[in-house]
Amino acid sequence: MHAQRLKIYRSSLFLSLFSTTFLFHSTWKKQTTNKALIIKLLSMLLFYIWSCRNMYSFQLFGYDKYCAMQQKYRVSENELIASSSKMGWIGAILGMMIFTHKIQKIAFLVRIAEEAALSFVLVIILLLARNYVESVY
């Protein structure tokens, strides 16, 4: 991995850990059963992964826009697409909108939309599974 992208990845890991800890801090204060605690831990882990992927995608789009403006070596489109897959599509879309980057390439937008739709379906399935597990236990 390129040294600058490694810095971007590390910063997204730190920011995601900070936001996950901040949001789920209140869940540790309540007395819960072991099964409910496991569900909360899995929810926290999924939120951490989700926020990592989104922050990395967002920062990668910003870095690619910076490299384009400075006429430096760019991030490949396949890497940008890969960063938007697996639940990183919100960061990719925000990065495209805020940095006005790659918004005129229709084929690229279609690939991002496909990844977003696939990830959206995955999130819906996970939420339904979580609600089912909570209702059973």
Side-chain angles (χ1 to χ4, degrees):
M1 186 179 280
H2 190 266
Q4 183 64 27
R5 288 184 220 150
L6 189 60
K7 289 180 186 176
I8 291 171
Y9 186 68
R10 286 181 182 156
S11 69
S12 66
L13 287 175
F14 172 73
L15 290 172
S16 299
L17 181 64
F18 178 74
S19 65
T20 304
T21 307
F22 179 74
L23 287 174
F24 285 94
H25 182 332
S26 63
T27 61
W28 304 114
K29 294 179 182 178
K30 300 176 184 175
Q31 294 291 334
T32 57
T33 63
N34 288 338
K35 293 175 185 176
L37 186 62
I38 290 172
I39 291 172
K40 288 179 183 180
L41 284 173
L42 288 175
S43 299
M44 185 173 160
L45 179 66
L46 284 174
F47 181 78
Y48 176 70
I49 293 169
W50 176 79
S51 61
C52 274
R53 297 294 299 180
N54 282 302
M55 287 185 194
Y56 179 69
S57 295
F58 179 77
Q59 291 175 347
L60 196 62
F61 272 85
Y63 176 69
D64 190 42
K65 178 67 175 191
Y66 171 77
C67 288
M69 291 170 46
Q70 299 295 319
Q71 297 179 351
K72 292 183 178 181
Y73 182 73
R74 306 267 309 272
V75 179
S76 70
E77 284 189 1
N78 288 333
E79 189 170 346
L80 291 172
I81 293 290
S83 74
S84 70
S85 66
K86 300 178 191 83
M87 299 187 297
W89 58 276
I90 295 174
I93 291 173
L94 284 175
M96 289 171 67
M97 290 174 17
I98 290 174
F99 300 118
T100 59
H101 189 55
K102 302 273 187 193
I103 56 175
Q104 294 181 352
K105 293 187 173 187
I106 300 300
F108 187 79
L109 290 173
V110 168
R111 290 173 69 189
I112 292 286
E114 289 172 353
E115 293 294 334
L118 182 65
S119 295
F120 187 72
V121 168
L122 179 66
V123 167
I124 295 297
I125 289 171
L126 287 174
L127 286 175
L128 290 174
R130 178 181 175 210
N131 289 338
Y132 174 74
V133 169
E134 285 179 347
S135 67
V136 170
Y137 296 110

